[in-house]
């Protein structure tokens, strides 16, 4: 059965079962986003991988996925969201199999790139299907569950990876995807309805190529900035190429009758408020949480599995609030603008707690993680729904692609910029000449120097987390303000439209009175 995107006023009869299937498919991608990090020492040792090899093992996946998100969403809208979901699962499973059996760094990098293609299709189609099968009233709750699975995947990745590495070889972290992908594939084929845009838009092949090249170049510049220097020729050339290509993409999309990304979306205050806030929020959160994992391992001395366990309260808070529907109920009572403002304020407070209370041990970090989890449970689903609801139903795949692209962009930029803030502060305070914390500790000649080095790192972390908290708070206030203004404008337009209709009815029944009203 194929569902027209313009012909479903009611929710699908099996929508909650389908949501479970979609979340299972989503989980396969989310686990892989973080599971590889704990395997880096094993890969370095067993495959004799260089630092550059390890970086490409991680970056090949994110580069391909980020570059293809918009094109994947457009393909899902045009050719069918169920069909693209099946293709994404198949590609992701095949890539996982090749990665698990790889015999060299090159093979693993190629397999990760293939997994990135599947991941792009999965991330866009899952959210697009949610928007199709649920009624507008149920969409916030459904997106809350979808968002909770995102957090669960983020937290479970290191735990699953650590468990697998403790019992099996490094390839098992990829092969574990196979049964999950196979189960999700069978469930999608059996239960998920097909939906597509029936308007028959012509494929925007030029736009797809330009967006893929531009986003890939932009993400590569962000990723390589900390390693090669922001003013290096490689980074500047790549960033310049990205700006030119994305500028041509924007011009092309404004000139053709069937654009992949309609420029008119950005004239909607709800859309611009949601996407602007999303970038700033993921900037602050992505960078801050990346630095927190370093603090737990390098300063407090936890192993990867222990560090994963100690960051888990954040995800567990999200899961508890969203799976029980508490987060959605709070958001419904407060309304979209206030929910975003409150959620982001809680997240910013959590980052401040981690920054200022780490000297008291893990308790300050735990408080911060719980606050971040509560803020995420309230604010993130509302933000995602604001993005998706401001895009036409027939463009749900593109909307999900925009949501994913901006989240990836903000996250990558946050890691790069807040990492640079940390490194600058660390370099100014560290008593020995070293480019990183491990190198500085290796060069330290006494316990006093080691204490000064970890103190310098902690100071740099505190500064970075505070910068991240400001970005999160500003993002929440920006989004809340623009969404509040958009809602007020919509209400005023609705009242004006109702008054106009009433005057027209009176004019038709009583022509003389109608002329007086005019």
């Amino acid at each position: 059965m194929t569902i027209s995107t313009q012909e479903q006023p009611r929710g699908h009869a099996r929508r909650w079962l389908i949501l479970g299937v979609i979340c299972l498919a989503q989980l396969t991608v989310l686990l892989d986003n973080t599971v590889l990090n704990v395997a880096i020492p094993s890969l370095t040792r067993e495959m004799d991988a260089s630092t550059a090899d390890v970086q490409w093992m991680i970056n090949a996946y994110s580069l391909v996925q980020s570059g293809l998100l918009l094109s994947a969403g457009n393909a899902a809208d045009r050719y069918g969201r169920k069909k693209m979901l099946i293709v994404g699962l198949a590609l992701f499973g095949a890539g996982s199999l090749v990665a698990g059996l790889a015999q060299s760094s090159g093979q693993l990098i190629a397999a990760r790139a293939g997994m990135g293609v599947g991941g792009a299709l999965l991330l866009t189609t899952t959210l697009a299907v949610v928007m199709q099968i649920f009624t507008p009233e149920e969409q916030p709750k459904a997106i809350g569950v979808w968002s909770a699975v995102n957090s669960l995947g983020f937290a479970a990745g290191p735990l699953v990876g650590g468990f697998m590495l403790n019992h099996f070889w490094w390839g098992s972290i990829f092969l574990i995807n196979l049964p999950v992908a196979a189960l999700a594939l069978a469930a999608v084929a059996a239960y998920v309805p097909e939906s597509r845009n029936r308007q028959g838009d012509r494929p925007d092949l030029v736009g797809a190529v330009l967006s893929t090249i531009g986003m890939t170049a932009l993400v590569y510049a962000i990723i390589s900035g900390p390693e090669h220097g922001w003013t290096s020729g490689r980074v500047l050339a790549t960033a310049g190429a990205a700006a030119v290509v994305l500028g041509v993409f924007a011009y092309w999309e404004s000139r053709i009758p069937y654009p992949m990304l309609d420029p008119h979306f950005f004239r909607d205050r709800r859309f611009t408020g949601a996407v602007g806030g999303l970038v700033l929020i993921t900037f602050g959160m992505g960078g801050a949480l990346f630095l927190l994992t370093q603090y737990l391992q390098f300063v407090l001395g936890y192993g990867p599995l222990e560090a994963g366990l100690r960051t888990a309260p954040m995800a567990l808070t999200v899961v508890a609030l969203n799976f029980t529907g508490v987060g959605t109920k709070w958001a419904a009572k407060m309304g979209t603008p206030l929910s975003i403002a409150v959620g982001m304020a809680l997240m910013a407070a959590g980052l401040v707690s981690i920054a200022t209370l780490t000297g008291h041990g893990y308790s300050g970090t735990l408080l911060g993680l719980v606050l971040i989890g509560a803020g995420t449970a309230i604010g993130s689903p509302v933000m995602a729904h604001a993005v998706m609801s401001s895009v036409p139903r027939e463009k749900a795949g593109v909307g999900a692609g925009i949501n994913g692209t901006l989240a990836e962009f903000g996250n990558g930029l946050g890691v790069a910029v807040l990492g640079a803030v940390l490194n600058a502060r660390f370099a100014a305070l560290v008593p020995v000449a070293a480019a990183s914390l491990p190198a500085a500790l290796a060069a330290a000649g006494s316990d006093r120097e080691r204490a000064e080095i970890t103190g310098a790192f902690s100071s740099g972390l505190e500064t970075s987390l505070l910068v991240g908290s400001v970005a999160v708070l500003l993002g929440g206030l920006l989004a809340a303000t623009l969404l509040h203004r958009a809602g007020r404008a919509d209400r005023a337009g609705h009242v004006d439209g109702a008054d106009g209709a009433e005057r027209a009815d009176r004019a038709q029944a009583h022509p003389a009175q109608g002329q007086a009203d005019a």
Side-chain angles (χ1 to χ4, degrees):
M1 179 178 64
T2 300
I3 297 175
S4 169
T5 57
Q6 298 176 343
E7 298 177 356
Q8 191 166 350
R10 295 181 300 173
H12 192 277
R14 294 183 172 180
R15 55 193 178 278
W16 294 106
L17 173 63
I18 294 169
L19 178 62
V21 172
I22 287 170
C23 288
L24 181 64
Q26 179 89 342
L27 193 61
T28 61
V29 183
L30 298 168
L31 288 175
D32 198 74
N33 280 340
T34 53
V35 72
L36 185 61
N37 293 333
V38 301
I40 288 175
S42 299
L43 290 169
T44 304
R45 181 177 60 254
E46 297 182 26
M47 298 189 71
D48 195 24
S50 64
T51 301
D53 290 337
V54 171
Q55 289 174 338
W56 274 109
M57 289 172 192
I58 297 173
N59 295 339
Y61 179 83
S62 58
L63 280 173
V64 172
Q65 179 177 280
S66 301
L68 288 176
L69 280 169
L70 275 178
S71 299
N74 185 60
D77 288 336
R78 178 173 174 77
Y79 299 110
R81 300 177 182 102
K82 175 179 180 177
K83 187 180 299 180
M84 291 298 104
L85 186 55
I86 290 174
V87 172
L89 280 167
L91 287 174
F92 194 83
S96 298
L97 177 61
V98 175
L101 301 178
Q103 301 296 314
S104 67
S105 297
Q107 292 176 2
L108 183 53
I109 292 169
R112 291 277 293 168
M115 294 170 69
V117 178
L121 288 168
L122 288 172
L123 288 177
T124 51
T125 50
T126 52
L127 185 54
V129 170
V130 168
M131 298 300 293
Q132 301 302 318
I133 63 175
F134 284 93
T135 64
E137 294 77 18
E138 291 177 323
Q139 284 171 1
K141 184 177 181 180
I143 292 177
V145 174
W146 179 86
S147 178
V149 172
N150 286 350
S151 298
L152 183 62
F154 171 83
L159 303 181
V160 172
F163 175 81
M164 297 302 292
L165 289 173
N166 284 341
H167 294 83
F168 307 100
W169 92 111
W170 64 265
S172 62
I173 66 172
F174 297 109
L175 297 182
I176 194 65
N177 292 334
L178 297 180
V180 181
L183 179 60
L185 194 60
V188 167
Y191 296 112
V192 175
E194 183 61 282
S195 63
R196 64 170 63 92
N197 179 10
R198 290 190 176 278
Q199 289 185 342
D201 292 357
R202 301 170 188 171
D204 181 14
L205 298 179
V206 175
V209 172
L210 289 173
S211 69
T212 300
I213 295 174
M215 285 306 304
T216 302
L218 181 61
V219 174
Y220 177 76
I222 293 172
I223 289 174
S224 57
E227 178 187 1
H228 299 286
W230 292 102
T231 58
S232 67
R234 175 185 297 189
V235 174
L236 291 177
T238 308
V244 171
V245 173
L246 290 176
V248 174
F249 170 70
Y251 175 78
W252 172 261
E253 296 297 286
S254 68
R255 304 290 294 179
I256 62 173
Y258 299 105
M260 181 176 74
L261 177 59
D262 192 341
H264 290 91
F265 290 167
F266 294 93
R267 298 179 184 177
D268 187 333
R269 286 182 178 177
R270 291 177 301 165
F271 182 80
T272 54
V275 299
L278 180 63
V279 170
L280 287 173
I281 289 163
T282 53
F283 170 89
M285 290 300 302
L289 293 177
F290 169 75
L291 297 175
L292 176 61
T293 58
Q294 294 189 51
Y295 174 81
L296 290 172
Q297 294 185 55
F298 292 145
V299 177
L300 299 185
Y302 297 124
L305 182 58
E306 293 175 304
L309 286 170
R310 281 164 177 77
T311 57
M314 181 192 73
L316 294 177
T317 302
V318 178
V319 170
L321 292 178
N322 281 344
F323 276 2
T324 59
V326 173
T328 305
K329 291 178 181 178
W330 289 349
K333 290 180 180 179
M334 290 186 288
T336 297
L338 184 58
S339 295
I340 291 175
V342 170
M344 300 310 106
L346 287 172
M347 294 164 73
L351 293 174
V352 172
S353 173
I354 295 173
T356 57
L357 299 179
T358 49
H360 299 283
Y362 179 68
S363 58
T365 302
L366 176 61
L367 173 62
L369 291 171
V370 172
L371 288 173
I372 292 170
T376 302
I378 296 172
S380 291
V382 178
M383 187 77 75
H385 185 252
V387 173
M388 296 299 295
S389 62
S390 61
V391 174
R393 282 175 60 87
E394 64 271 15
K395 293 288 186 180
V398 171
I402 295 169
N403 186 77
T405 298
L406 293 176
E408 289 282 340
F409 172 69
N411 183 72
L413 192 64
V415 170
V417 173
L418 296 188
V421 172
L422 169 62
N423 290 335
R425 180 70 173 165
F426 177 69
L429 297 176
V430 71
V432 296
S436 65
L437 177 62
L441 291 174
S446 64
D447 291 340
R448 180 180 178 181
E449 281 191 350
R450 292 188 183 90
E452 291 177 356
I453 290 168
T454 55
F457 187 86
S458 297
S459 178
L461 177 73
E462 177 182 340
T463 303
S464 298
L465 289 172
L466 292 175
V467 171
S469 69
V470 171
V472 169
L473 187 59
L474 287 178
L477 294 177
L478 171 67
T481 301
L482 291 178
L483 289 170
H484 174 70
R485 290 178 179 176
R488 189 169 56 188
D490 287 346
R491 288 191 295 271
H494 178 73
V495 171
D496 291 343
D499 290 345
E502 183 179 349
R503 286 196 300 269
D505 291 340
R506 289 202 306 267
Q508 186 175 4
H510 305 284
Q513 182 62 41
Q515 291 176 2
D517 288 342

